Amino acid sequence: MYTKSFSLILSSPLIVDSPSSSSSSSSSLAVPCFFSPTSLKPSSASLPATYFHRYSHPRSLKSSLAALMFPENSVLSDVCATGISGVVAFSCLGFWGEIGKRGIFDQKLIRKLVHINIGLVFILCWPLFSSGLQGALFASLIPGLNIIRMLLLGLGVYQDEGTIKSMSRHGDRRELLKGPLYYALSITSACIFYWKTSPSIAVVCNLCAGDGMADIVGRRLGTEKLPYNRNKSVAGSIGMAISGFSASVAYMYYFASFGYIERSGWGMILRFFIISIASAFVESLPISTDIDDNLTVSLTSALVGTLLF
């Protein structure tokens, strides 16, 4: 039964009757699913209870639609959301670029502050976008443009001293073709494949808040090294797990307030905790240094998040 229901969900929007409507005449609100080319009304008897718990609550629907600038025109709303989010994201990059040029902070500290800040600020803008595939693709344009930017800077096609200083360890433009490029790729992938879901929160929060704080805490308090990796510290790994977990829980409540995910209490919090612990452990392994922790942390968060959620 569920197989048949799932295919119906993918091919049609969910029609939720207004609470004030009667059985004979109802005003309906169409909420697009990831793919919604038609307008069929699925039977409530044939759908899993968790599906209706997530999508059919009137307050959740109203909260979700309230963030859209033009609820009746999703394309125009997503275009405007892209413009606003792009201005916010690139303003943050510009700000840290200026800080890097002026040498106000240590270059390594600026690099990690950029690492923490950009992704977390970007997903704050996600409620401005529609909840379907269209919204995900529009939103992914922003980190996608940053992928192109990293490639152009890293290959020397054009120069931006502030960006290079704020995103590289040693001021070498070629470093942008590794960590910063993988960072942008990870956020773009989370945006497209896990749009407004719990795994997307786990990926972005552990990559940005977790991995960023691991380096900051490790450099200042990391006197005791890990026995299996002398380049990593106990304090850094603990700092990463706590920061990634704390950010995940904060964004869980933020997304739940718009009705995108269930606010299921301690069960969901425990799952986020497990993901953060797993990500911190993988980040501490020597393979993360050999490959790049921006990739290993993101892949771990995505894999474990997919299994748990």
Side-chain angles (χ1 to χ4, degrees):
M1 181 185 293
Y2 286 163
T3 303
K4 181 178 179 181
S5 302
F6 184 71
S7 63
L8 182 58
I9 293 170
L10 291 178
S11 62
S12 63
L14 177 63
I15 307 296
V16 181
D17 292 333
S18 170
S20 61
S21 62
S22 62
S23 58
S24 58
S25 63
S26 62
S27 59
S28 298
L29 176 63
V31 181
C33 296
F34 217 66
F35 302 96
S36 55
T38 59
S39 297
L40 301 175
K41 183 175 181 177
S43 168
S44 60
S46 64
L47 292 174
T50 53
Y51 183 84
F52 276 96
H53 182 76
R54 176 177 174 183
Y55 288 105
S56 64
H57 196 289
R59 184 180 301 172
S60 296
L61 292 172
K62 290 178 182 177
S63 299
S64 179
L65 291 174
L68 300 180
M69 287 170 281
F70 303 99
E72 296 181 358
N73 190 332
S74 64
V75 174
L76 178 59
S77 185
D78 285 337
V79 169
C80 293
T82 303
I84 292 172
S85 302
V87 169
V88 171
F90 286 100
S91 294
C92 288
L93 286 173
F95 169 78
W96 292 113
E98 284 300 314
I99 296 294
K101 281 182 184 178
R102 299 173 189 273
I104 297 175
F105 296 133
D106 175 73
Q107 184 172 324
K108 292 178 180 177
L109 176 60
I110 292 175
R111 177 175 171 272
K112 284 303 173 182
L113 291 175
V114 172
H115 188 101
I116 295 169
N117 177 257
I118 299 302
L120 296 180
V121 169
F122 173 54
I123 63 171
L124 282 176
C125 300
W126 282 11
L128 296 174
F129 295 87
S130 60
S131 294
L133 177 61
Q134 173 186 293
L137 292 177
F138 269 103
S140 68
L141 291 175
I142 296 166
L145 287 174
N146 205 37
I147 291 173
I148 297 172
R149 190 162 172 257
M150 293 302 101
L151 287 170
L152 295 177
L153 285 170
L155 294 171
V157 176
Y158 84 98
Q159 297 293 322
D160 186 339
E161 181 185 352
T163 298
I164 293 172
K165 283 187 175 181
S166 65
M167 290 190 174
S168 62
R169 285 185 173 90
H170 308 292
D172 186 348
R173 60 174 173 78
R174 290 170 295 184
E175 293 180 43
L176 272 60
L177 298 175
K178 296 180 181 179
L181 178 61
Y182 300 150
Y183 178 95
L185 282 168
S186 297
I187 293 181
T188 303
S189 299
C191 192
I192 294 174
F193 297 110
Y194 295 106
W195 180 235
K196 293 181 178 179
T197 62
S198 298
S200 68
I201 295 174
V203 170
V204 176
C205 290
N206 285 295
L207 172 63
C208 299
D211 187 41
M213 286 303 297
D215 186 79
I216 293 175
V217 173
R219 288 182 184 279
R220 284 154 180 77
L221 304 174
T223 54
E224 185 177 349
K225 301 299 181 181
L226 293 170
Y228 54 86
N229 188 354
R230 307 306 296 178
N231 293 319
K232 301 288 183 178
S233 67
V234 174
S237 294
I238 293 174
M240 175 175 176
I242 292 174
S243 299
F245 170 66
S246 300
S248 296
V249 172
Y251 277 90
M252 177 194 76
Y253 283 106
Y254 177 67
F255 275 36
S257 69
F258 292 97
Y260 301 136
I261 61 174
E262 294 181 42
R263 190 181 299 170
S264 58
W266 291 107
M268 181 169 283
I269 290 174
L270 177 61
R271 289 194 284 269
F272 278 122
F273 180 71
I274 293 171
I275 296 169
S276 295
I277 293 294
S279 299
F281 173 70
V282 171
E283 191 272 344
S284 71
L285 296 174
I287 190 174
S288 289
T289 304
D290 297 335
I291 301 174
D292 191 279
D293 53 12
N294 287 334
L295 279 180
T296 57
V297 169
S298 300
L299 289 173
T300 301
S301 297
L303 177 60
V304 180
T306 301
L307 293 173
L308 293 180
F309 292 112

